[in-house]
Amino acid sequence: MRVVDLRSDTLTRPTAEMSRAMAEADVGDDVFGEDPTVNRLEEMAAGRMGKEAALFVTSGTMGNLVSLLAHCARGEEILLGSFAHTFYFEQGGSAAVGGIHPRTLPNQPDGTMTLSDIEGAIRPDNVHFPRTRLIVLENTHNLCGGHPLDLEYMTAVGDVARRHGLKIHVDGARFFNAAVALGVPAAKLAAEADSVSFCLSKGLGAPVGSVVCGSQDFISEARRARKVLGGGMRQAGVLAAAGIFALNEMVERLADDHANARKLAEGIAEMPGISIDPDQIHTNIVYFGVDRKDMTLADLVKRLGDNGARMLPVGPGRIRAVTHYHISSDDIDYVLGVFGKVLK
Ligand code: TLP
């Protein structure tokens, strides 16, 4: 049976050319700073983000954690959205490992936190309070429908941060999806951020890895944090080579994933008992609800999967489908056919 797997863009496998680049990578010991391919990836990534330096890490989770550890001391506070991946899905790592105090603010449906919520949460200097140190944004915002945070919002948050002496970290697991969807160069979108982590292993198609970008001093601290977490890799150039290929070849094509997500959303919006607003789909993530007397959400996910369209139940009443490199426009037609069969 033909199976179209839309559970996540983390499912992408290296292309033949990417695998060749990995096999042929020039390597050295990266903990000694001697892996030429890792060094090249870090230089490229920093350039793309308009930052001084970068650090190759194992995963998005590690990218966020080393960033928070580099920005904050124990007992300091971060402001982040109630649906932030860093808050929701990362085991509370910054508190567990770094003693960092998370303060959540309501995420709006578009993935933002309001400026007044941010400003209102910043602590005055008082012996009772933790010190507010960092604002954490997520771009695109996974649980908020893959919504990209635009330049205007980034600039406005930058202004708040500057006025209060706070830093900004962006969980940019899908930062290039945001840049492509908004038609803004990544470096411009990242301009207000003190650090940005982005994933190579999602829509960009690499098998492993994320990169954290920021100032030289910040990256030195993040490098120390990576080491204590056991993330100092040795001949990591075999992985970094995939990242270099991804940055060169896989960014512009993200627009295809966005078009396929939109096509999927428009198709399922026509189906009986499915709730979705296709106008809210801007990148590669599609969430929808189900309101049917004859089947639960779990039933629907199972029936879709049994018929060749795999998706992920996420949170109460929602199913997620994510488009990526291995999903074609024809696959979307196939998936819509499966929907038709299952929901008739
Ligand atoms: N997200 C995964 C799951 O954990 C939900 C997915 O399939 O979407 N930030 C954001 C915004 C993410 O969506 C993810 C992964 C991460 C960080 C963590 O990246 P990894 O999985 O590489 O640690």
Side-chain angles (χ1 to χ4, degrees):
M1 186 183 59
R2 176 174 171 187
V3 176
V4 175
D5 199 339
L6 293 161
R7 285 173 302 160
S8 182
D9 48 7
T10 58
L11 296 164
T12 45
R13 298 172 307 279
T15 65
E17 276 176 290
M18 188 184 270
S19 297
R20 201 167 320 116
M22 295 173 73
E24 292 169 1
D26 197 4
V27 297
D29 189 326
D30 181 48
V31 176
F32 287 112
E34 291 174 5
D35 188 302
T37 310
V38 171
N39 291 343
R40 195 148 59 88
L41 170 65
E42 290 178 346
E43 218 172 281
M44 264 179 83
R48 285 289 194 99
M49 286 295 173
K51 303 295 177 203
E52 284 174 9
L55 180 72
F56 184 44
V57 294
T58 58
S59 64
T61 301
M62 184 179 275
N64 287 329
L65 183 53
V66 300
S67 299
L68 270 47
L69 291 172
H71 284 302
C72 304
R74 297 186 73 79
E76 292 185 336
E77 189 166 72
I78 58 174
L79 306 178
L80 77 178
S82 46
F83 292 124
H85 192 281
T86 307
F87 178 68
Y88 218 86
F89 286 125
E90 296 176 15
Q91 272 194 33
S94 60
V97 178
I100 296 164
H101 192 245
R103 183 158 184 200
T104 55
L105 306 174
N107 265 129
Q108 304 304 308
D110 65 358
T112 61
M113 299 171 274
T114 67
L115 298 177
S116 56
D117 279 347
I118 294 175
E119 201 141 15
I122 299 168
R123 309 277 193 165
D125 185 15
N126 180 307
V127 73
H128 296 89
F129 295 144
R131 291 193 172 114
T132 313
R133 189 61 76 202
L134 182 72
I135 301 168
V136 179
L137 303 174
E138 185 172 316
N139 203 3
T140 65
H141 201 294
N142 182 347
L143 280 179
C144 294
H147 209 281
L149 306 183
D150 63 18
L151 203 48
E152 196 185 341
Y153 180 72
M154 298 297 294
T155 307
V157 177
D159 182 52
V160 173
R162 238 184 328 277
R163 275 192 283 113
H164 294 273
L166 305 185
K167 305 268 191 218
I168 297 177
H169 170 68
V170 178
D171 172 358
R174 298 181 179 85
F175 198 75
F176 286 100
N177 292 83
V180 167
L182 297 165
V184 176
K188 200 164 175 193
L189 197 57
E192 296 289 348
D194 295 282
S195 57
V196 182
S197 64
F198 70 91
C199 292
L200 297 160
S201 63
K202 297 194 167 63
L204 300 185
V208 179
S210 292
V211 185
V212 179
C213 305
S215 70
Q216 209 59 262
D217 286 350
F218 164 80
I219 291 297
S220 301
E221 281 306 304
R223 194 176 290 279
R224 279 187 63 82
R226 183 186 72 171
K227 191 72 179 76
V228 76
L229 296 173
M233 297 181 281
R234 301 296 178 175
Q235 285 72 32
V238 287
L239 302 174
I244 291 171
F245 183 89
L247 278 179
N248 282 331
E249 307 295 334
M250 306 290 273
V251 172
E252 296 310 320
R253 65 150 306 284
L254 292 172
D256 299 344
D257 297 345
H258 302 168
N260 284 332
R262 175 83 191 201
K263 175 174 166 177
L264 175 68
E266 284 171 357
I268 62 177
E270 304 295 319
M271 307 277 170
I274 298 293
S275 57
I276 182 169
D277 177 358
D279 287 340
Q280 293 309 313
I281 308 303
H282 300 287
T283 63
N284 68 330
I285 299 183
V286 176
Y287 286 96
F288 57 93
V290 190
D291 183 18
R292 300 263 301 198
K293 296 260 178 304
D294 57 338
M295 69 180 89
T296 63
L297 182 134
D299 292 336
L300 177 57
V301 171
K302 173 143 186 4
R303 284 188 214 182
L304 288 169
D306 289 348
N307 285 279
R310 301 189 73 184
M311 297 181 199
L312 209 61
V314 180
R318 293 203 304 176
I319 298 173
R320 188 183 80 162
V322 185
T323 55
H324 53 77
Y325 181 75
H326 302 296
I327 305 297
S328 64
S329 178
D330 186 60
D331 288 329
I332 301 297
D333 291 327
Y334 173 77
V335 166
L336 292 174
V338 172
F339 263 98
K341 194 159 97 183
V342 166
L343 289 174
K344 75 172 179 300

